Amino acid sequence: MNGLVKRLGSAFLCLCLGFGLLVLPGSAGEAQDGQRPVSLLVCDEQDGRYRLEALLRACGLPVVSVSRDEYSPGLLPGYERVITTDNRPYRDALEAGVPVFCVGQRSGPVQGASLATLERGALTLRLDGHSQQLFARDPVELLAQAPGEAVGSLTLTSGEQFPFAAVMGEVGYAPFYRGDDLSALALAAAVRRWMGGQGEGQMYVLIDEIYPFTDLAMLCLSAERLHENGIPFILRIMPVYDNLDYPAFLRYAQVLRYAQSLGGTVVLHDPIVLYTDKDEPIDTRKERVRAALEGRFSLQRQPVIRQTGGEPIETKLARTKKALEDLGILRMDMALPPLELTCGQLGAIESDTRNFGTFAVDTMVTFAPFESEEELDEAIGILNGRWLSLSRYGGERFEEELRYDEIPVDEQFEYRKKEELSFTAFFAGANKLLILIVLISAGVFVLMLTFGRRIYRNKFYKE
């Protein structure tokens, strides 16, 4: 009987252990993966890290970036994917079984791919009905052959053609990349294919870096003219932390409400904080990206880091957001913002059809706040002339809530006339005193001269 009890106890213990092995890893995985997965970018600043970060975020891929010196193979298990401009992380990712995308010439060699060198010369980049003429002034490496799916193409003046990038299962490779032309969009398309995404992205119009002291009358006119031409637009405003109840800020908020009533979408720009990556631990960077995905930050242009002193940046941003909401501004978050294109960059890209369409990744055509009506008309002409397929950011879910209540701001405040200060009496009295001092000084001088002359005559002249 005792033996049977022992055997039943042992069996029960083994069953519990087996159940624990099945359940605990899943529970740990849920606790760890309850947050959105983050990818690792290994790239130095001179290789265009911030631009590459923005491109990957536009692809829907939140990343934590490290330099080559900060990288170590021990980082790989904590990330879902790896994007690298260096070859060492590629080799480590293959061994660890982590999907990896290699960007640029220094990221190779890549297994199964062969390269060809173009010393210099013109080449044409083509991508899904779009093309751009490029010129290589220095030797560049082109992807001669690679298994898998080719994305885009590069055609030389000789007619020889090369794939721009290749997706080979869990490995992607794009040796030619510049970041400020159609190659950035081609890389974004390749990254999306590598991630398993298909379809086209959306295209938006953005007016960037708007402050309370921006020309508000011109901003109203811009919103009216864009609305009249059927162009949806985004206003990206800079955060304001103090004096949120002043008349100037209330007028600013009134203009933003008016713009959103005309179909504009208001988003908040990130605080611009200058820092070096070595000042911030990698774990802190990862937490910062998590915070952005949870809506505490936006990660639009420059990363946001912890406040080193004074009031925390989180508190300031919360105060700004609350002030905007209280004033009826329907602010939207932009955790993973679209890729930004200037009007000049867009103009350099040609389309095979009259309808320019969209790219494989969400993009924004950016403008600074317009300073004149002529500048505004020129921008509208470019947008209409390209036949862009523009969308409203965030869809139509705010359509019924858009409103504009015009409340005279100045009537809410009682202004006291500032007393005028006059120094007329002071200077008049000072002038009289100065004249008196001059007259006294002149009299003293005459007396001294007379008295000195008398002493001189008595001493040197005989009677």
XYZ file of all heavy atoms in Angstrom, residues 113-163:
375
model
N 24.149 35.685 -51.723
C 24.071 36.891 -52.550
C 25.435 37.211 -53.120
O 26.471 37.032 -52.462
C 23.559 38.082 -51.729
N 25.457 37.708 -54.340
C 26.693 38.161 -54.975
C 26.538 39.611 -55.397
O 25.434 40.060 -55.721
C 27.022 37.289 -56.198
O 25.973 37.351 -57.151
N 27.657 40.339 -55.396
C 27.634 41.781 -55.662
C 28.412 42.125 -56.916
O 29.292 41.371 -57.354
C 28.212 42.544 -54.467
C 27.504 42.375 -53.117
C 28.238 43.159 -52.050
C 26.050 42.810 -53.203
N 28.075 43.279 -57.486
C 28.823 43.852 -58.598
C 29.153 45.293 -58.244
O 28.364 45.976 -57.572
C 28.014 43.790 -59.887
N 30.313 45.766 -58.665
C 30.773 47.108 -58.314
C 30.558 48.066 -59.476
O 30.956 47.785 -60.606
C 32.257 47.091 -57.927
O 32.457 46.194 -56.838
C 32.732 48.476 -57.518
N 29.916 49.182 -59.191
C 29.795 50.282 -60.143
C 30.735 51.384 -59.693
O 30.573 51.957 -58.612
C 28.351 50.784 -60.191
C 28.099 52.049 -61.025
C 28.360 51.774 -62.504
C 26.670 52.561 -60.828
N 31.759 51.667 -60.506
C 32.769 52.648 -60.112
C 32.159 54.041 -59.971
O 32.344 54.719 -58.981
C 33.906 52.665 -61.137
C 34.717 51.375 -61.167
C 35.402 51.099 -59.840
O 35.718 52.064 -59.107
O 35.620 49.916 -59.521
N 31.452 54.454 -60.949
C 30.713 55.711 -60.931
C 29.846 55.779 -62.175
O 30.102 55.087 -63.145
C 31.621 56.932 -60.861
C 32.558 57.084 -62.047
C 33.217 58.446 -62.087
N 33.852 58.787 -60.847
C 34.215 60.029 -60.508
N 33.959 61.018 -61.336
N 34.817 60.271 -59.383
N 28.819 56.637 -62.120
C 27.960 56.771 -63.293
C 26.499 56.889 -62.915
O 26.120 56.849 -61.744
N 25.661 57.054 -63.943
C 24.232 57.236 -63.745
C 23.534 55.884 -63.664
O 23.977 54.895 -64.265
C 23.648 58.064 -64.884
N 22.454 55.848 -62.942
C 21.614 54.657 -62.861
C 20.186 55.093 -62.545
O 19.961 56.165 -61.979
C 22.126 53.673 -61.826
C 22.161 54.060 -60.340
C 22.345 52.817 -59.483
C 23.283 55.037 -60.024
N 19.235 54.269 -62.929
C 17.810 54.564 -62.737
C 17.226 53.569 -61.754
O 17.326 52.360 -61.953
C 17.053 54.487 -64.071
O 17.629 55.416 -64.994
C 15.583 54.832 -63.860
N 16.628 54.082 -60.716
C 15.961 53.246 -59.723
C 14.478 53.212 -60.034
O 13.837 54.251 -60.178
C 16.198 53.803 -58.311
C 15.433 53.138 -57.171
C 15.733 51.647 -57.074
C 15.744 53.825 -55.843
N 13.913 52.006 -60.125
C 12.496 51.834 -60.404
C 11.851 51.052 -59.271
O 12.427 50.080 -58.766
C 12.276 51.094 -61.730
C 12.802 51.849 -62.927
C 12.407 51.193 -64.241
N 12.924 51.949 -65.367
C 12.340 53.008 -65.899
N 11.182 53.432 -65.401
N 12.882 53.643 -66.914
N 10.641 51.494 -58.896
C 9.921 50.847 -57.810
C 8.425 51.023 -58.016
O 7.907 52.142 -57.903
C 10.337 51.446 -56.448
C 9.549 50.973 -55.234
C 9.879 49.522 -54.902
C 9.809 51.862 -54.033
N 7.726 49.957 -58.339
C 6.260 49.943 -58.385
C 5.680 51.131 -59.141
O 4.820 51.866 -58.641
C 5.685 49.918 -56.965
C 6.131 48.705 -56.171
O 6.407 47.667 -56.793
O 6.212 48.805 -54.936
N 6.154 51.353 -60.357
C 5.599 52.431 -61.168
C 6.215 53.793 -60.930
O 5.780 54.768 -61.535
N 7.211 53.885 -60.070
C 7.918 55.140 -59.823
C 9.382 54.969 -60.204
O 9.930 53.852 -60.141
C 7.810 55.550 -58.354
C 6.409 55.777 -57.891
N 5.677 54.810 -57.243
C 5.585 56.859 -57.985
C 4.475 55.271 -56.955
N 4.396 56.511 -57.395
N 10.019 56.052 -60.563
C 11.433 55.981 -60.963
C 12.138 57.283 -60.623
O 11.501 58.337 -60.461
C 11.550 55.700 -62.466
O 10.966 56.746 -63.219
N 13.471 57.197 -60.542
C 14.287 58.385 -60.281
C 15.680 58.163 -60.851
O 16.263 57.072 -60.710
C 14.380 58.681 -58.784
C 15.137 59.972 -58.470
C 15.124 60.318 -56.995
O 14.542 59.606 -56.184
N 15.765 61.413 -56.642
N 16.206 59.202 -61.475
C 17.564 59.158 -62.002
C 18.549 59.494 -60.891
O 18.423 60.524 -60.228
C 17.723 60.168 -63.149
C 16.852 59.880 -64.358
C 17.321 58.667 -65.144
O 18.516 58.351 -65.170
N 16.383 57.967 -65.775
N 19.523 58.628 -60.670
C 20.530 58.818 -59.632
C 21.909 58.825 -60.268
O 22.089 58.389 -61.408
C 20.434 57.699 -58.584
C 19.061 57.477 -57.933
C 19.091 56.280 -57.013
C 18.621 58.718 -57.186
N 22.886 59.311 -59.500
C 24.268 59.326 -59.988
C 25.194 58.914 -58.851
O 25.105 59.453 -57.740
C 24.663 60.713 -60.504
C 26.000 60.731 -61.190
C 26.100 60.366 -62.524
C 27.141 61.083 -60.502
C 27.333 60.359 -63.166
C 28.379 61.081 -61.134
C 28.478 60.719 -62.465
N 26.056 57.959 -59.130
C 27.026 57.479 -58.147
C 28.368 58.157 -58.422
O 28.989 57.906 -59.459
C 27.163 55.965 -58.230
N 28.805 58.989 -57.509
C 30.094 59.675 -57.660
C 31.244 58.846 -57.108
O 32.394 59.063 -57.465
C 30.044 61.032 -56.952
C 29.097 62.017 -57.617
C 29.065 63.349 -56.895
N 28.280 64.328 -57.612
C 26.964 64.415 -57.569
N 26.276 63.559 -56.806
N 26.318 65.326 -58.259
N 30.939 57.912 -56.231
C 31.934 57.012 -55.657
C 31.537 55.586 -55.996
O 30.368 55.300 -56.327
C 32.019 57.188 -54.134
C 32.424 58.593 -53.742
O 33.385 59.107 -54.356
O 31.777 59.180 -52.852
N 32.466 54.651 -55.904
C 32.130 53.243 -56.179
C 31.027 52.748 -55.242
O 31.052 53.005 -54.040
C 33.461 52.515 -55.928
C 34.508 53.549 -56.135
C 33.907 54.836 -55.653
N 30.062 52.037 -55.794
C 28.957 51.474 -55.016
C 28.805 50.003 -55.360
O 29.143 49.563 -56.465
C 27.626 52.217 -55.278
C 27.697 53.646 -54.781
C 27.267 52.176 -56.755
N 28.294 49.252 -54.386
C 28.050 47.833 -54.573
C 26.576 47.621 -54.917
O 25.680 48.134 -54.233
C 28.390 47.058 -53.297
C 29.851 47.186 -52.867
C 30.797 46.431 -53.796
O 30.301 45.561 -54.544
O 32.005 46.714 -53.775
N 26.333 46.867 -55.998
C 24.982 46.548 -56.419
C 24.747 45.054 -56.256
O 25.677 44.248 -56.343
C 24.758 46.955 -57.878
C 25.059 48.418 -58.232
C 24.804 48.661 -59.709
C 24.223 49.366 -57.380
N 23.502 44.711 -56.006
C 23.137 43.313 -55.785
C 23.027 42.623 -57.146
O 22.055 42.804 -57.883
C 21.808 43.234 -55.037
C 21.339 41.871 -54.546
C 22.362 41.251 -53.608
C 19.993 41.995 -53.861
N 24.042 41.817 -57.479
C 24.068 41.157 -58.786
C 23.103 39.988 -58.840
O 22.364 39.809 -59.812
C 25.487 40.685 -59.111
N 23.086 39.185 -57.794
C 22.246 38.003 -57.790
C 21.961 37.594 -56.357
O 22.835 37.676 -55.489
C 22.925 36.854 -58.538
C 22.034 35.643 -58.751
C 22.722 34.577 -59.582
O 23.879 34.730 -59.961
N 22.010 33.494 -59.881
N 20.736 37.141 -56.104
C 20.362 36.656 -54.775
C 19.101 35.822 -54.904
O 18.213 36.154 -55.710
C 20.125 37.821 -53.813
N 19.011 34.739 -54.152
C 17.775 33.964 -54.167
C 16.658 34.730 -53.471
O 16.902 35.690 -52.752
C 18.146 32.700 -53.386
C 19.245 33.143 -52.471
C 20.007 34.193 -53.224
N 15.448 34.313 -53.688
C 14.325 34.957 -53.022
C 13.640 35.984 -53.900
O 13.784 36.008 -55.122
N 12.909 36.894 -53.270
C 12.087 37.886 -53.965
C 12.857 39.187 -54.141
O 13.394 39.750 -53.181
C 10.806 38.141 -53.164
C 9.885 39.165 -53.791
C 8.680 39.469 -52.929
O 8.615 38.938 -51.795
O 7.817 40.254 -53.365
N 12.919 39.677 -55.378
C 13.577 40.953 -55.665
C 12.594 42.093 -55.455
O 11.405 41.979 -55.762
C 14.110 40.969 -57.092
N 13.108 43.210 -54.921
C 12.297 44.404 -54.687
C 12.972 45.571 -55.401
O 14.116 45.921 -55.096
C 12.165 44.715 -53.185
C 11.341 45.976 -52.977
C 11.541 43.541 -52.445
N 12.272 46.177 -56.359
C 12.833 47.294 -57.096
C 13.928 46.851 -58.045
O 14.359 45.688 -58.041
N 14.404 47.792 -58.848
C 15.483 47.481 -59.786
C 16.346 48.709 -60.016
O 15.883 49.846 -59.908
C 14.912 46.989 -61.121
O 14.176 48.017 -61.757
N 17.620 48.463 -60.346
C 18.583 49.503 -60.686
C 19.093 49.224 -62.094
O 19.636 48.145 -62.359
C 19.749 49.514 -59.690
C 19.410 49.976 -58.275
C 20.503 49.575 -57.297
C 19.199 51.482 -58.240
N 18.910 50.189 -62.991
C 19.297 50.016 -64.388
C 20.420 50.988 -64.722
O 20.282 52.202 -64.496
C 18.099 50.251 -65.326
O 17.015 49.398 -64.932
C 18.474 49.955 -66.761
N 21.506 50.479 -65.269
C 22.638 51.314 -65.670
C 22.393 51.896 -67.054
O 21.472 51.483 -67.776
C 23.926 50.494 -65.652
C 24.252 49.743 -64.355
C 25.624 49.078 -64.457
C 24.192 50.661 -63.158
N 23.233 52.851 -67.455
C 23.099 53.447 -68.787
C 23.359 52.414 -69.875
O 22.878 52.561 -71.000
C 24.079 54.620 -68.927
O 25.401 54.175 -68.570
C 23.687 55.765 -68.014
N 24.119 51.368 -69.544
C 24.391 50.303 -70.510
C 23.194 49.379 -70.700
O 23.208 48.528 -71.587
C 25.591 49.478 -70.033
O 25.314 48.852 -68.787
N 22.177 49.529 -69.890
C 21.008 48.662 -69.967
C 21.068 47.495 -69.003
O 20.076 46.771 -68.839
N 22.220 47.285 -68.356
C 22.345 46.189 -67.403
C 21.482 46.480 -66.175
O 21.446 47.606 -65.677
C 23.814 46.034 -66.987
C 24.105 44.754 -66.248
C 25.603 44.572 -65.984
O 26.373 45.493 -66.327
O 25.974 43.523 -65.451
N 20.789 45.448 -65.684
C 19.811 45.639 -64.627
C 20.149 44.791 -63.406
O 20.598 43.646 -63.532
C 18.406 45.269 -65.132
C 17.283 45.690 -64.211
C 15.925 45.541 -64.879
O 15.833 45.380 -66.094
N 14.872 45.606 -64.092
N 19.943 45.378 -62.222
C 20.223 44.709 -60.953
C 19.022 44.871 -60.021
O 18.346 45.908 -60.065
C 21.458 45.309 -60.268
C 22.711 45.228 -61.082
C 23.050 46.244 -61.969
C 23.554 44.138 -60.967
C 24.203 46.181 -62.718
C 24.715 44.060 -61.716
C 25.045 45.083 -62.595
N 18.767 43.903 -59.161
C 17.738 44.107 -58.136
C 18.199 45.160 -57.122
O 19.388 45.218 -56.803
C 17.594 42.728 -57.479
C 18.346 41.775 -58.335
C 19.355 42.563 -59.093
